[in-house]
Amino acid sequence: MDPMGEQVSPPVDFPIYGLDWGWRGPRWLDFFEGRPGEPVWALWLGHREEGGEHGVRVGTLPRDRYDSALSPRSGDPLVAVAFSAAFGLINLTLPDGSVPRPDGLIPAMVEHAEEQAKRHAQWPRVAWDIGGRWAQASIWSFAGAWAGFTDLLDDAYLVAIGIGVQPEGMRLVPVGSNAKNYGIDLAAPLDATELARQRHVRPDTWLPPPRRDAFHADQLALVPGTRQRPSPVPR
């Protein structure tokens, strides 16, 4: 069998970031994005509070590769980064699959995320500490959680999605030799099948949505045909 088959990508070849080591709780490799067999253009790490349900997902997007894969040939490359944040927030805030999905809601939420990404310059700003350097991060709040990003680094965009934690003052650090704390072997290929197996044996390595048994008002306001819709200006 080809060792770089359909479910396998080459080892991580760029610095990845996670929450600083003061965070107490499970850490894990959440998922990665890219074409099978080729270097990935995004890698996401999960963090969940010890004994609780709050946490943060952190994504590292190597600039050149991400821009080449997902950004338009002309225009604002940060729109794609903002959409990565907003789309991740849309996904993470969905209630359990047992909750019926109103007709048209999922496409409407994706469209809403696209609209908000185009307005990322209007998103509120907070301060993040990136390896000891303070940076402005743009934040969008939706359905009881938030997503944000910063372009401080020359070689990568950093994206975070938070549930039950505050975005202000978040501290991100390079993972480096501590990758083992996330169950990552930096010298090994990224294997989606192995990642799925690890999730099965570690049930605490996921982030529950803010509400598991019902949709949030922000989500229901997007159901096609409703009279009220959220303001197009991010909060």
Side-chain angles (χ1 to χ4, degrees), residues 21 31 48 51 60 63 69 76 103 130 133 200 202:
W21 304 108
F31 68 101
R48 182 169 170 172
T60 305
R63 272 185 185 250
D76 181 3
D103 290 343
I130 310 298
R133 299 168 59 193
H200 180 71
R202 292 189 62 192

Side-chain angles (χ1 to χ4, degrees), residues 14-97:
F14 53 89
I16 54 178
Y17 284 73
L19 293 186
D20 79 321
W21 304 108
W23 177 268
R24 295 290 180 264
R27 298 170 182 257
W28 65 94
L29 171 60
D30 206 32
F31 68 101
F32 50 88
E33 301 176 58
R35 300 182 183 90
E38 298 182 9
V40 300
W41 59 63
L43 186 138
W44 297 80
L45 301 177
H47 311 76
R48 182 169 170 172
E49 67 180 1
E50 193 72 58
E53 297 193 341
H54 298 159
V56 182
R57 175 190 283 175
V58 177
T60 305
L61 289 50
R63 272 185 185 250
D64 291 346
R65 191 176 300 159
Y66 194 81
D67 288 347
S68 177
L70 297 177
S71 294
R73 294 185 180 274
S74 60
D76 181 3
L78 292 182
V79 170
V81 179
F83 178 70
S84 180
F87 184 75
L89 180 57
I90 291 293
N91 275 331
L92 279 182
T93 53
L94 288 173
D96 290 348

